[in-house]
Amino acid sequence: MGPWNGIIWMLVQLKDRGLDLQSFCPIRIGDGRVTSFWHDVWKGNAPLAVSFHRIFALDTHGSLSVHDRMLLGWDSDSLKRTPKGGIEQTRWDAFISLMQDVQLQSIPDRLGWTIDVSDSFSVSSARVFLDSGMLLTCGCETRWNNWVPIKINIFIWRL
């Protein structure tokens, strides 16, 4: 697994509590050095080990990063055996076709943020997203009450 484990774990914990932010944080491949080729979701909607489980079972290098796996290439020496005919060959052809358009860049891998047009996380975009989806609106503004002690105002605001 890649270094995204801590962040992904936190997003999964939020999802278990009813807040799905993980789907808004896709991995953006740069140089491919920190993203696991088979185990991270960087191409498609599931890890490649799940989408192409037959090919994953044939690969002798199941724990490499995207960068290292792409450098290694896709010849028969990197597999336990060559794909057999039928569904295995069909999946192999689809896999090779999918890998044809992978272009590594000189920038590091990062997590995207599809909620904001900049594709970069910001607290304000997360706040707007959460407020619009989770808070009820009554049409009236929340105002501070100057007659109430500040601690009570802050408590009510947080509540």
Side-chain angles (χ1 to χ4, degrees):
M1 296 281 187
W4 313 117
N5 289 350
I7 296 169
I8 300 297
W9 180 83
M10 199 168 35
L11 293 172
V12 168
Q13 295 298 314
L14 288 171
K15 187 175 183 177
D16 290 345
R17 292 188 174 110
L19 181 60
D20 183 14
L21 293 180
Q22 186 174 4
S23 59
F24 300 108
C25 301
I27 295 175
R28 304 288 191 218
I29 293 295
D31 59 11
R33 294 181 189 274
V34 297
T35 303
S36 172
F37 183 85
W38 287 109
H39 302 290
D40 287 332
V41 181
W42 64 277
K43 191 82 167 154
N45 297 325
L48 292 175
V50 173
S51 301
F52 293 95
H53 60 89
R54 290 175 185 255
I55 307 306
F56 174 66
L58 293 176
D59 193 5
T60 57
H61 306 285
S63 61
L64 293 180
S65 68
V66 172
H67 176 266
D68 294 339
R69 191 64 189 96
M70 296 305 289
L71 282 178
L72 192 60
W74 295 105
D75 57 5
S76 59
D77 294 339
S78 66
L79 301 176
K80 294 175 185 172
R81 61 172 172 77
T82 57
K84 296 180 180 176
I87 190 71
E88 197 171 88
Q89 186 63 48
T90 302
R91 296 305 293 158
W92 174 254
D93 293 341
F95 178 74
I96 292 299
S97 175
L98 185 67
M99 291 300 112
Q100 293 295 326
D101 67 344
V102 174
Q103 297 291 322
L104 300 181
Q105 304 167 12
S106 59
I107 59 173
D109 298 346
R110 65 182 182 83
L111 286 179
W113 181 244
T114 59
I115 291 174
D116 193 37
V117 294
S118 70
D119 200 37
S120 297
F121 176 81
S122 69
V123 172
S124 66
S125 66
R127 182 188 53 80
V128 168
F129 171 73
L130 294 174
D131 286 352
S132 66
M134 300 187 78
L135 295 179
L136 300 175
T137 57
C138 65
C140 57
E141 293 182 12
T142 303
R143 298 183 184 223
W144 289 105
N145 185 338
N146 293 331
W147 295 93
V148 177
I150 189 73
K151 288 182 179 181
I152 303 297
N153 268 325
I154 291 172
F155 173 74
I156 297 297
W157 175 74
R158 286 183 176 176
L159 182 66

